[in-house]
Amino acid sequence: MSRQCCRSWNKAARPSRRRSKEREESKIGTPLLHALPETGGVAPGLLKAARERAAASGRRVIAELEDVMGLDPAAFLQAVATTLHYPWLPSALLFASTPDFSTIPLTKALQRECTVVHLATGETVGVFADPFDSALVAWLDARLGGAPLYLAHPEDLAALLARHEETFRAVQSVHTGSDVEARAGEAVEDLSLVRIDEDASVVIKLVNSTLYDALKAHASDIHLESTDVGLAIKYRVDGVLTSISRVQGVEMAEQVVSRIKVMAELDIAERRVPQDGRFKVGIQGRPVDFRVSIMPSVFGEDAVLRILDKKDLADSAQGVRLSSLGFEEQDIKVMRKLAKEPYGMVLVTGPTGSGKTTTLYAMISEINNGQDKIVTIEDPVEYQLPGVLQIPVNEKKGLTFARGLRSILRHDPDKIMVGEIRDAETAQIAVQSALTGHLVFTTIHANNVFDVIGRLNQMNVDTYSVVSALNGIFAQRLLRQVCSSCAAPVKPGIAELVESGLDPEAVKDYHFVVGKGCGRCRGTGYRGRTAIAEILLFDDELRQLIIDRQPIARIKEAARKRGLRFLRESAVAQVALGRTTLQEINRVTFVA
């Protein structure tokens, strides 16, 4: 859009000269309006309090002001815009716009939290998030040359830039650089915008920017999938796989996978068999581990990178606690009781990415009082626990779960954690350890608590030893929570309720909600996850039923009498409380 068109801004929407003067006064810290509108304004006392808190905390005034006012994001933004005489962009209009990085490059936009967008109406305007930053406003004014400035919520603007950052940076790195091969053996020391911009190699820049973007998006996995025309990049965020971008060129796809192999110290010449490895990078002064799996495919090779970011665990010295994982209070009480048993086995089951290891870490953290010797063997050691001896599996050097577990038993342990039971030898040693006076925490892949016995039987562990060793099994899943910022009531149809296995009459009092999508949830309607569990506790009667190979229906009935609540029931309870949606529980749990 031409500059003349930009200047044809509707006078009714532009600030008057008087308002412009007041706005300029507010930039340099003079008192704001003394007479505010009855609704929608910021009281001077609140602004003063926010400034004092910002000076003490080092945070921005706008962030402290939002905390002081305690409004929802839309109402807060409107109040600030009204007070400072700026037009404002609701999240819906902002996300419908298209950023223009020709005037303000993406790197600058991210650093200064401002950008230029083309609105759906065809107008080109500047958007920024901090009206109290006079240097930012002056810098933006100088570059836009009179174009109108709109105020947006900081999280909405950050989400808009993040949404375009992955595709823009990947495409930019491919089309503006030279086709230089990734330099073998080069280590990635730091993931930062400055470092990425300085990378000379197109491949290195693309890989580093992908890792950086995935960490910003709080992804748990990165999928690099080779196609017949290039490479598809996907992230798994909150358990759901999302397509991010596509890179054209089969040769580029091969070079990207080769770069990942170099970082993980794998054989770049071998393309016919799967390979596994790991590497580490730094971001914002902290190390982040990546676990790599390379798999041959029809069109070349695919790579999946599991992100193990230590900051995702609680930053406190004591580690994460059970109460912070989202389990219901009654389940937490049972878990704590199991964690304090003197001996036996506590087994957590569930699919990959369901939070099994984190739950075991939480249980160990709560009993780690320095009076017991706690030893873990893991592949890999995902988070460091203070006061706990943690041993990483190293199969290349011959340190397997089974061999490590044998050595642990000679190290005078009280509590043992085995990261995962994968084979018969590990299963047998773990069970024998639980039967000989040790408390063993471990995980295994199974669909529910009742399938675990069969899985261990397949590993040639006799049923009597299994049920004698087990104190309890709990299966768990992670459910995405509805974003609190954009949650809205919804009334599901009769067909949807029946399809979900619910009686329409029995759910009349349920608080059904759905997320409309906003900046805080990146338009998904979900923000964060919570855990649900089904816990099977063993007593003599239940053990005898399993040893006698009674029908599964009878075993489930006996477990129900002992307080077992199935995963589906726990999931439905989350829907009733308005924490998640029917679509989410149908995705994660089995509809009976």
Side-chain angles (χ1 to χ4, degrees):
M1 177 173 291
S2 66
R3 184 64 61 189
Q4 181 178 0
C5 184
C6 289
R7 290 192 176 115
S8 64
W9 170 249
N10 187 336
K11 293 182 179 179
R14 296 188 69 173
S16 65
R17 292 182 181 273
R18 179 181 60 82
R19 291 183 175 182
S20 296
K21 182 176 183 298
E22 289 173 345
R23 190 177 72 186
E24 290 298 322
E25 289 175 351
S26 69
K27 294 177 189 175
I28 60 175
T30 56
L32 291 177
L33 305 178
H34 296 287
L36 297 173
E38 292 183 1
T39 59
V42 180
L46 292 179
L47 180 59
K48 180 180 178 182
R51 290 186 185 279
E52 292 174 351
R53 290 178 54 170
S57 66
R59 297 176 67 203
R60 296 186 177 183
V61 175
I62 186 121
E64 293 291 355
L65 183 60
E66 184 171 18
D67 290 346
V68 170
M69 295 185 70
L71 299 175
D72 65 80
F76 168 74
L77 179 63
Q78 185 176 7
V80 173
T82 299
T83 302
L84 301 182
H85 304 291
Y86 279 109
W88 63 288
L89 274 181
S91 57
L93 295 181
L94 180 63
F95 294 138
S97 67
T98 304
D100 179 0
F101 298 118
S102 60
T103 304
I104 300 178
L106 176 65
T107 303
K108 291 293 185 183
L110 289 166
Q111 290 174 344
R112 293 182 173 269
E113 296 182 354
C114 64
T115 190
V116 176
V117 301
H118 301 298
L119 298 179
T121 60
E123 295 165 325
T124 300
V125 300
V127 182
F128 69 111
D130 189 354
F132 300 101
D133 187 343
S134 57
L136 169 65
V137 177
W139 184 86
L140 193 57
D141 271 332
R143 276 152 184 77
L144 295 186
L149 301 183
Y150 273 79
L151 190 62
H153 193 278
E155 292 192 4
D156 287 345
L157 182 56
L160 176 73
L161 294 175
R163 177 181 295 182
H164 292 270
E165 183 180 1
E166 297 90 355
T167 302
F168 179 82
R169 190 171 294 283
V171 173
Q172 185 188 52
S173 64
V174 172
H175 291 292
T176 62
S178 58
D179 292 332
V180 182
E181 289 281 350
R183 295 186 291 276
E186 177 175 329
V188 179
E189 297 179 358
D190 180 61
L191 288 182
S192 64
L193 289 174
V194 174
R195 173 64 186 271
I196 292 170
D197 285 339
E198 291 176 349
D199 286 327
S201 168
V202 177
V203 176
I204 294 177
K205 181 177 288 188
L206 176 58
V207 171
N208 288 358
S209 63
T210 299
L211 301 181
Y212 179 84
D213 294 333
L215 287 167
K216 283 191 62 179
H218 302 289
S220 61
D221 301 87
I222 304 171
H223 289 241
L224 305 174
E225 301 176 355
S226 297
T227 67
D228 57 339
V229 295
L231 188 73
I233 302 176
K234 301 177 181 178
Y235 299 161
R236 187 178 297 279
V237 181
D238 286 341
V240 177
L241 203 59
T242 304
S243 180
I244 300 301
S245 64
R246 292 183 177 271
V247 179
Q248 298 298 316
V250 174
E251 184 179 356
M252 176 61 67
E254 293 175 353
Q255 292 177 2
V256 169
V257 176
S258 294
R259 173 60 183 168
I260 297 296
K261 287 183 176 181
V262 168
M263 297 173 71
E265 299 182 354
L266 302 177
D267 186 357
I268 63 174
E270 180 58 73
R271 301 185 177 182
R272 298 166 295 178
V273 298
Q275 298 187 65
D276 297 312
R278 57 178 59 89
F279 64 88
K280 181 180 294 186
V281 300
I283 182 170
Q284 297 178 350
R286 72 176 189 277
V288 179
D289 295 312
F290 289 82
R291 191 165 57 192
V292 179
S293 173
I294 306 292
M295 189 71 65
S297 69
V298 175
F299 299 111
E301 291 179 293
D302 286 11
V304 175
L305 286 65
R306 167 64 60 88
I307 302 174
L308 305 173
D309 190 352
K310 292 179 176 61
K311 90 174 182 59
D312 289 338
L313 199 67
D315 293 330
S316 65
Q318 295 182 343
V320 70
R321 316 295 288 185
L322 285 171
S323 56
S324 66
L325 300 182
F327 290 110
E328 295 191 13
E329 190 59 36
Q330 60 191 37
D331 293 333
I332 293 176
K333 290 180 180 179
V334 175
M335 291 179 183
R336 285 174 174 158
K337 179 178 181 298
L338 289 172
K340 294 177 181 178
E341 295 291 347
Y343 55 83
M345 178 180 286
V346 177
L347 198 150
V348 186
T349 187
T352 301
S354 59
K356 302 186 297 295
T357 302
T358 302
T359 298
L360 289 185
Y361 279 149
M363 297 179 73
I364 290 175
S365 294
E366 296 207 359
I367 62 172
N368 183 18
N369 54 16
Q371 297 178 357
D372 294 317
K373 180 71 173 183
I374 304 175
V375 185
T376 77
I377 180 164
E378 309 168 56
D379 184 26
V381 174
E382 298 188 7
Y383 307 110
Q384 296 178 1
L385 301 176
V388 176
L389 173 58
Q390 295 176 270
I391 305 170
V393 166
N394 190 339
E395 295 186 357
K396 292 181 180 180
K397 300 296 184 180
L399 180 56
T400 62
F401 274 113
R403 184 175 178 180
L405 188 51
R406 284 198 194 94
S407 299
I408 287 173
L409 293 175
R410 295 192 292 270
H411 208 69
D412 189 28
D414 296 296
K415 322 286 186 185
I416 302 171
M417 172 182 157
V418 182
E420 181 183 346
I421 292 180
R422 298 177 179 173
D423 53 66
E425 188 176 11
T426 304
Q428 290 171 354
I429 299 173
V431 169
Q432 291 303 317
S433 300
L435 291 172
T436 54
H438 303 91
L439 182 60
V440 179
F441 301 90
T442 188
T443 72
I444 194 170
H445 288 289
N447 290 327
N448 55 59
V449 293
F450 301 100
D451 291 343
V452 169
I453 307 299
R455 287 276 290 130
L456 291 172
N457 288 157
Q458 291 175 350
M459 296 179 181
N460 299 321
V461 184
D462 69 277
T463 304
Y464 182 84
S465 296
V466 171
V467 297
S468 298
L470 281 168
N471 294 337
I473 307 173
F474 50 96
Q476 73 174 66
R477 299 291 189 276
L478 296 178
L479 294 174
R480 290 184 296 171
Q481 292 181 294
V482 174
C483 176
S484 59
S485 299
C486 61
V490 66
K491 185 177 181 180
I494 300 297
E496 184 178 3
L497 291 173
V498 173
E499 185 179 352
S500 301
L502 300 177
D503 181 1
E505 291 296 323
V507 299
K508 288 183 177 180
D509 296 330
Y510 281 18
H511 182 51
F512 292 101
V513 296
V514 65
K516 298 295 186 181
C518 66
R520 296 193 173 191
C521 63
R522 294 175 175 261
T524 64
Y526 297 96
R527 190 182 184 196
R529 290 192 288 179
T530 189
I532 57 172
E534 65 178 22
I535 304 177
L536 178 63
L537 299 178
F538 285 81
D539 59 14
D540 291 341
E541 183 179 348
L542 188 60
R543 290 187 174 98
Q544 192 62 49
L545 289 175
I546 296 174
I547 293 172
D548 293 343
R549 298 184 180 276
Q550 293 296 317
I552 189 66
R554 184 175 176 186
I555 296 175
K556 286 184 177 181
E557 182 182 354
R560 168 81 74 176
K561 292 179 180 178
R562 286 158 178 77
L564 174 70
R565 185 168 66 161
F566 295 107
L567 280 171
R568 182 67 181 185
E569 295 172 334
S570 298
V572 171
Q574 296 294 312
V575 174
L577 295 172
R579 296 174 181 170
T580 191
T581 64
L582 285 176
Q583 293 78 11
E584 178 66 6
I585 69 168
N586 291 341
R587 182 185 69 86
V588 174
T589 61
F590 182 75
V591 181

